[in-house]
Amino acid sequence: MNTHTTYTARPIPDAALAELRNVDDAGRPCVPYTETESEAGSPLRCCLRRTEAGDRIALVSYAPLRRWAAETGAEPGAYDEQGPVFIHTEPCGGPGDAPVTYPLARPGVLRTVRRYDARGHIAGGRLIELPETVEAGFDKAFTEAFADPEVAFVHVRAVEYGCFLYEVRRPA
C-alpha cells in the first residue's frame, strides 16, 4: 500500500509570511530583490517550489518553533531556532489546493528529518539520503518518526545549509 500522500508538507503560514514580508524573526526589515538567472533554484518556503529568474524574493530569518509555540502555548526553550528562508515578497498563493507531499527533493540529496514533541523539544532525528524513489525515502523516515507517540511534528531540513524546508505534522 502506498502511503506517501498521508504526509503533507506545510509551507510557512500566510499570517507569518505577512509579518516576515515586513520584519523578519531576527527583527530585520525585509529586503526584496529580483532573482537572477544565475541564482535561480533557491527553495521558496511560501509555495514549496524553487525560484525562477524574475521572481521577487527575499531572504529572511524565520523561527518556525517560536511561531508554532505561540499558537500552541508550548515552551521550546533552547530549541527555539531561527534561520534563513527564501520567500516571495508578495503573496503567491502558496502551493495551491492539492496537498504537497515531498517538495524540494531529488534523488541523492541529503535531508534531516528532525522530530519534535508537543513541548517543542527535539525528540530525535534522522539523516536520509533520498533514494531514486523520493517518496519511499520520506515515507520510511516519517513512518519511523510518527511511530513514536511522543512525536508531534517533524521539520525537514537541508543538510548542506541546515535550513528549515518545511514542517510535517502527525497525520490525523
Side-chain angles (χ1 to χ4, degrees):
M1 180 165 102
N2 188 352
T3 61
H4 77 273
T5 57
T6 302
Y7 306 107
T8 302
R10 300 169 59 96
I12 296 175
D14 289 341
L17 288 167
E19 293 172 5
L20 294 170
R21 289 177 176 126
N22 183 33
V23 176
D24 72 12
D25 287 346
R28 290 185 294 269
C30 180
V31 179
Y33 65 95
T34 301
E35 185 69 295
T36 65
E37 187 71 39
S38 64
E39 296 291 323
S42 298
L44 290 157
R45 283 29 167 251
C46 49
C47 56
L48 301 178
R49 69 169 181 81
R50 296 197 177 274
T51 60
E52 297 173 1
D55 281 344
R56 289 290 291 164
I57 64 171
L59 181 61
V60 298
S61 185
Y62 177 57
L65 280 178
R66 183 179 313 157
R67 290 179 176 275
W68 172 83
E71 291 174 20
T72 63
E75 292 289 338
Y79 296 105
D80 176 29
E81 307 176 83
Q82 64 188 30
V85 296
F86 291 98
I87 62 171
H88 279 117
T89 56
E90 296 293 328
C92 63
D97 293 332
V100 178
T101 51
Y102 311 127
L104 310 170
R106 64 185 183 284
V109 73
L110 298 174
R111 294 290 182 250
T112 298
V113 176
R114 190 180 295 168
R115 306 169 190 174
Y116 293 90
D117 64 20
R119 299 171 301 162
H121 293 195
I122 292 176
R126 188 169 195 275
L127 174 66
I128 60 173
E129 180 175 352
L130 294 177
E132 282 301 314
T133 308
V134 169
E135 295 86 358
F138 276 121
D139 279 347
K140 181 177 178 183
F142 295 153
T143 298
E144 179 183 279
F146 293 122
D148 179 346
E150 297 297 313
V151 174
F153 60 95
V154 299
H155 284 173
V156 175
R157 292 180 175 264
V159 172
E160 61 272 36
Y161 296 104
C163 299
F164 168 84
L165 292 173
Y166 55 87
E167 175 181 289
V168 174
R169 293 195 180 168
R170 176 177 287 285

